[in-house]
Amino acid sequence: MNDQKKVAVLGGGSWATAIVKMLTENLETVGWYMRSKSAIEHIKKNNHNPTYLRAADVYAAQLELSSDINKIVANYDVLIFAIPSAFLMGELEKLKKSLDGKIIFSAIKGIVPETGLIVGEHFHKTYNIPLKDIGVITGPCHAEEVAMERLSYLTIACQNQDHAKLMSKSLKSWYIKTKISDDIIGTEYAAMLKNIYAVAAGIAHGLGYGDNFQSVLMSNAIREMKRFIKKVHKMKRNINDSAYLGDLLVTGYSVFSRNRQFGNMVGKGYTVKSAQMEMSMVAEGYYATKSAFKMKEENGARTPIIDAVFNVLYANKDAKKEFKKLTNKLD
């Protein structure tokens, strides 16, 4: 990956918009695929996304906007996918252009429901993208704070350190600091798991648990995350690094966390369906819970928090009773 590589973002949501904003701080032209033609026309006239992250300035003069995914894939070398995992397969089914020779970065914090794979593994196994050409962009970072240009941190993970360095250079600015990692699998699983723990934090809050319990929940969550990831991909990593613990904390505690908001509604008595309908954005943790529960049954990891969230969201168990049981399993 050299400085001449052209970079594009695929996705029209908050995180995609934030990434476009970051890239335009450093690159003359950024490709941007989104499904909504009306959103594209709005951006061209008003320089902001009309639906998501409206506070972020994204200057149309620097963008090649298109509602044709094949056009963007054909014209750009580095593709950053920021489409919610639940809709990724549907978008990829539109592809007629080959992904051969492309460098893929996932900014998706979830599991592809149809395959049960994290996004990097999905591209590797389904499209034969070499692992060296797959990277991950993860936090701790909320799109809303990027829009406000508040100091934020990103972790760029890739086996190919040259790819990671160039992506880091493309994203960093006076309000964005970046760190490079070679733990592509661990960071992507962490980004998926922290959404489940944020749902748990939200359910607990909705049920009336206070800060004391939340601190115990989060400290147990990071240990549970460590056990889970170690079963999936054993390598030397510091689970207390920002890509793991930092991302967990910001998602578990922040008022911007859609997964915590979703869990809070469930804890307050909303049905899962009504909570989803009430929210304008996708709570990735809902889909991740089912996949993580299935994986832990296969790999044998001890995951009492994932189990409790699964029982509430998918087994129709009473949230109050499940979390009462959970309190006796935490330390």
Side-chain angles (χ1 to χ4, degrees):
M1 184 173 171
N2 56 54
D3 289 315
Q4 303 306 311
K5 296 286 187 185
K6 296 172 65 181
V7 182
V9 177
L10 296 92
S14 297
W15 191 222
T17 305
I19 293 171
V20 168
K21 175 178 169 60
M22 289 185 268
L23 290 171
T24 54
E25 299 282 0
N26 300 298
L27 305 178
E28 288 185 11
T29 304
V30 176
W32 192 0
Y33 162 73
M34 60 170 64
R35 288 183 302 169
S36 173
K37 292 180 180 179
S38 61
I40 288 173
E41 291 309 310
H42 185 95
I43 292 168
K44 286 179 178 178
K45 293 177 183 175
N46 301 289
N47 296 306
H48 69 262
N49 190 331
T51 311
Y52 299 99
L53 211 67
R54 292 186 289 270
D57 294 323
V58 284
Y59 299 108
Q62 287 179 264
L63 303 173
E64 181 183 351
L65 289 147
S66 179
S67 59
D68 180 354
I69 192 171
N70 287 288
K71 180 179 179 181
I72 295 298
V73 168
N75 290 348
Y76 288 82
D77 311 296
V78 183
L79 306 173
I80 302 173
F81 283 85
I83 298 164
S85 59
F87 309 127
L88 181 63
M89 283 278 283
E91 292 301 308
L92 291 175
E93 285 173 358
K94 301 175 185 176
L95 267 183
K96 296 174 184 175
K97 296 292 183 181
S98 172
L99 291 174
D100 290 349
K102 305 294 182 181
I103 297 167
I104 306 292
F105 272 87
S106 168
I108 302 170
K109 299 169 182 179
I111 290 276
V112 182
E114 295 87 348
T115 61
L117 299 171
I118 53 174
V119 177
E121 287 182 330
H122 180 78
F123 277 105
H124 176 58
K125 293 182 178 180
T126 307
Y127 295 93
N128 298 314
I129 306 294
L131 285 176
K132 68 178 180 61
D133 290 331
I134 296 173
V136 177
I137 300 169
T138 187
C141 185
H142 274 307
E144 290 81 0
E145 293 205 346
V146 172
M148 292 183 277
E149 298 187 356
R150 288 182 178 173
L151 181 62
S152 302
Y153 292 73
L154 293 176
T155 300
I156 316 297
C158 189
Q159 287 184 0
N160 185 318
Q161 293 294 281
D162 287 337
H163 291 355
K165 288 175 184 175
L166 263 296
M167 181 54 67
S168 171
K169 183 179 177 183
S170 298
L171 291 167
K172 71 167 68 171
S173 65
W174 67 269
Y175 61 93
I176 300 292
K177 292 185 180 295
T178 58
K179 180 180 179 180
I180 289 172
S181 169
D182 61 354
D183 184 17
I184 175 176
I185 294 176
T187 53
E188 193 164 10
Y189 270 103
M192 177 270 286
L193 291 167
K194 54 97 177 182
N195 286 332
I196 303 172
Y197 301 131
V199 172
I203 293 173
H205 185 266
L207 289 169
Y209 288 90
D211 292 343
N212 293 337
F213 177 73
Q214 293 284 8
S215 67
V216 173
L217 181 66
M218 288 295 103
S219 63
N220 277 265
I222 193 62
R223 282 175 274 158
E224 183 170 304
M225 179 187 287
K226 183 178 181 179
R227 292 194 298 270
F228 189 104
I229 296 175
K230 190 174 181 180
K231 289 281 188 181
V232 175
H233 182 59
K234 189 174 182 179
M235 70 172 281
K236 188 176 180 180
R237 62 174 62 86
N238 184 354
I239 204 71
N240 295 320
D241 279 354
S242 295
Y244 315 98
L245 178 58
D247 209 10
L248 169 65
L249 292 176
V250 75
T251 309
Y253 285 120
S254 176
V255 295
F256 294 125
S257 171
R258 66 194 72 170
N259 290 285
R260 183 186 166 101
Q261 291 170 17
F262 171 72
N264 184 50
M265 294 168 74
V266 172
K268 286 183 180 295
Y270 283 72
T271 65
V272 170
K273 188 172 183 179
S274 62
Q276 289 174 317
M277 290 174 66
E278 188 85 10
M279 296 182 65
S280 61
M281 296 183 289
V282 175
E284 294 274 19
Y286 171 74
Y287 302 98
T289 298
K290 187 175 184 179
S291 298
F293 184 80
K294 182 181 178 182
M295 290 180 69
K296 79 98 192 181
E297 289 197 311
E298 294 170 353
N299 65 37
R302 185 172 68 84
T303 58
I305 303 173
I306 292 173
D307 297 352
V309 176
F310 177 85
N311 287 338
V312 173
L313 299 186
Y314 288 94
N316 298 315
K317 298 288 182 71
D318 181 75
K320 189 174 182 179
K321 291 179 180 178
E322 283 302 309
F323 271 65
K324 181 101 182 286
K325 291 178 193 173
L326 179 62
T327 62
N328 296 318
K329 297 175 183 177
L330 305 181
D331 52 39

